[in-house]
Amino acid sequence: MLTDSDAHASSTRQPAQANLSGRLGTGAIVFMVIAAAAPLTVVGGNVPLAIAGGPGAGAPVGFALASLVLLVFAVGFVTMTPHVPQAGAFYAYATRGLGDRVGVGTAAVALVAYTAIQVGVYGYLGWAVNDVLHTFGGPTLPWWVWALAALGIVALLGYRHIDLSSKVLGVALVLEIVVVLVLDAGIFARGGAHGVNVESFTPHAAFSGPLGVAVLFAITGFIGFEATAVFRDEARDPERTIPRATYLAVLIIGGFYTLSCWALVLAAGTDDAPAVAQKTLDSQGNMLMDTAQAYVGTALRDVMQVLLLSSLFACVLSFHNVIARYTFTLARQDLLPARLGVVHPRHHSPSVSSVVQTATALVLVVACAVIGLDPLVGVFGSMAGLATVGMILLMLITSAAVVVFFARNAQLAAGRPWQTRIAPLLAVAGLLTALWLVFSNFTLVTGGGVGVSIVLGAIPFLALIAGLVRGAHGPRGRV
């Protein structure tokens, strides 16, 4: 296990290294984390999937349950935060609680999961740009053209100081949340199709179909919320900022998803919502955009289509920043080449890690284009499925790390059984259930066959095993 003395010794061995710096407050970190969740994208994509494939009108309960599971997970996560000096999020927590070997395995899973979801969103973004251009009578180009253009802009922003990225993400996030809240308000003001009611939250509605499908797509929409800890070195006051940002991120994301899902159900009518959502899946309509057209007019629908692009761009920019800081932290711990741990002298950013992350994304996007994968099913669907399995696995390991850490340091857990033992164990139970739900309905997420889905679902576990094997060569072996 990495102790405080180990961390001190590591820092004294590298006195000449500059550190990341910044003055990010709670709001700025929350902006970047929620931007990674791409709330407008989730409302337009995950919500119809949850309604059509899940319990129909009861789908909002799935989002509420997922929020509850992640909120319970956050209790142990933030309680351990003051005792984790590194900014490596899941890797740092696993190392602190379960030792270096498990930490290396966790790092491998994190890099695979984050990279996968970022590439997947590039595919979705390329498709979405073409869809918007087609709506306005513009040209239709291969999806990868737009994906590579976005990748270039992300590379530029990611290379510079984190404050620039936070400002870009903040503007994009505020706009996309506002436009959906305006739609929600319009639906509630007009009473939906048959009046405002709470039927969605009754046991009858919640269990009228597979509730697990709704929980599954809800959890997929939360990917990246734990990245609050990745920005520890750039936070104004990490001891307070990180816990506050984590709780706020879960509450805001969960509340926003649940409210918007309920609003879309009311707009279509509780009985008709599954059929309306299914039209989105069959490419015979668009539940979100069609609802906007009906309740708030063409102008807002057009604005929403454009903001969908900014939502996706904010998502890939946020994941780029997260991955670059993960590799930076791992390099500082001698788990990756030392060059990746260099800080830019002027921008105070992990510039080398940022460039490497850009190159990795470029290679993968080009590979998907050469293979000829469909941007939604082949790229986004498969990568989102892989990332969902990876993220649940990471949270399971982290919750176990919290339990073990406080069991070994009983004096730190004194008088706090809920935060240090009960909540983390409940999180383990909830996350195991979520993992079972994901695998039970995995082909719905990936959009592929059983064979392809099995391979994709196995990749995070193979990454964990590879990391464990690599970590066995020594506490500072390279991953």
Side-chain angles (χ1 to χ4, degrees):
M1 183 174 69
L2 181 64
T3 63
D4 291 331
S5 59
D6 293 331
H8 175 71
S10 178
S11 64
T12 56
R13 287 195 300 268
Q14 300 172 326
Q17 285 187 318
N19 293 317
L20 295 176
S21 65
R23 297 284 297 166
L24 297 177
T26 300
I29 295 177
V30 169
F31 274 145
M32 285 189 284
V33 170
I34 298 179
L40 180 56
T41 303
V42 172
V43 173
N46 292 35
V47 166
L49 286 166
I51 294 173
V61 174
F63 285 88
L65 288 176
S67 303
L68 180 61
V69 170
L70 296 183
L71 195 59
V72 172
F73 164 80
V75 172
F77 184 71
V78 302
T79 301
M80 190 171 169
T81 294
H83 311 290
V84 182
Q86 294 81 25
F90 288 140
Y91 151 73
Y93 287 72
T95 300
R96 191 79 164 131
L98 300 174
D100 294 302
R101 186 175 179 181
V102 178
V104 175
T106 304
V109 177
L111 290 176
V112 167
Y114 281 124
T115 300
I117 191 60
Q118 187 195 34
V119 172
V121 176
Y122 273 122
Y124 196 153
L125 177 59
W127 173 88
V129 172
N130 269 332
D131 186 56
V132 171
L133 289 177
H134 175 74
T135 299
F136 294 109
T140 298
L141 296 175
W143 67 269
W144 50 265
V145 172
W146 308 116
L148 293 178
L151 194 150
I153 301 173
V154 167
L156 177 63
L157 292 172
Y159 187 82
R160 298 174 66 84
H161 195 279
I162 189 65
D163 287 344
L164 178 60
S165 290
S166 70
K167 291 173 183 176
V168 172
L169 292 172
V171 172
L173 177 64
V174 169
L175 290 175
E176 66 177 284
I177 286 183
V178 166
V179 75
V180 176
L181 290 178
V182 169
L183 173 59
D184 292 346
I187 294 170
F188 285 109
R190 294 178 55 180
H194 307 294
V196 177
N197 60 75
V198 294
E199 185 176 341
S200 289
F201 301 97
T202 63
H204 172 74
F207 296 103
S208 61
L211 179 60
V213 173
V215 174
L216 181 157
F217 285 112
I219 290 178
T220 303
F222 276 91
I223 290 178
F225 86 94
E226 80 300 330
T228 51
V230 174
F231 299 102
R232 180 184 181 89
D233 290 343
E234 294 151 290
R236 184 179 298 131
D237 181 5
E239 300 297 331
R240 296 185 179 184
T241 300
I242 301 305
R244 288 175 181 173
T246 303
Y247 281 127
L248 278 174
V250 175
L251 290 171
I252 292 172
I253 295 172
F256 181 81
Y257 289 165
T258 304
L259 175 68
S260 298
C261 182
W262 180 30
L264 287 180
V265 169
L266 292 176
T270 53
D271 293 332
D272 298 328
V276 173
Q278 186 61 46
K279 289 182 179 179
T280 300
L281 308 190
D282 296 336
S283 298
Q284 297 176 356
N286 186 312
M287 189 176 195
L288 177 61
M289 300 303 170
D290 293 345
T291 300
Q293 173 79 40
Y295 281 86
V296 290
T298 302
L300 188 71
R301 174 195 167 106
D302 292 343
V303 169
M304 191 173 287
Q305 284 190 301
V306 174
L307 287 177
L308 175 62
L309 303 185
S310 69
S311 172
L312 290 165
F313 178 79
C315 181
V316 292
L317 175 57
S318 184
F319 280 126
H320 175 96
N321 285 329
V322 169
I323 298 169
R325 280 150 184 79
Y326 240 110
T327 54
F328 173 88
T329 300
L330 295 176
R332 285 298 179 92
Q333 296 299 312
D334 296 333
L335 294 171
L336 287 174
R339 181 65 179 163
L340 294 172
V342 171
V343 175
H344 194 282
R346 182 159 58 91
H347 299 307
H348 304 289
S349 64
S351 53
V352 178
S353 286
S354 179
V355 171
V356 171
Q357 156 55 20
T358 297
T360 302
L362 176 63
V363 169
L364 292 173
V365 169
V366 170
C368 291
V370 171
I371 295 172
L373 294 178
D374 176 83
L376 283 183
V377 177
V379 182
F380 178 73
S382 59
M383 293 297 100
L386 189 163
T388 300
V389 173
M391 297 309 295
I392 294 176
L393 180 59
L394 288 169
M395 288 189 284
L396 274 169
I397 295 172
T398 302
S399 293
V402 173
V403 174
V404 173
F405 174 78
F406 284 109
R408 291 175 175 174
N409 298 273
Q411 73 281 5
L412 299 176
R416 298 188 298 172
W418 165 250
Q419 296 96 322
T420 60
R421 186 170 62 253
I422 299 173
L425 289 174
L426 287 176
V428 169
L431 290 165
L432 284 173
T433 302
L435 190 62
W436 174 76
L437 291 173
V438 168
F439 281 125
S440 299
N441 303 277
F442 202 48
T443 54
L444 289 174
V445 182
T446 64
V450 175
V452 172
S453 297
I454 290 175
V455 172
L456 291 172
I459 289 176
F461 292 93
L462 293 175
L464 175 63
I465 293 171
L468 291 172
V469 171
R470 195 67 168 174
H473 293 295
R476 296 297 182 194
R478 295 192 184 280
V479 64

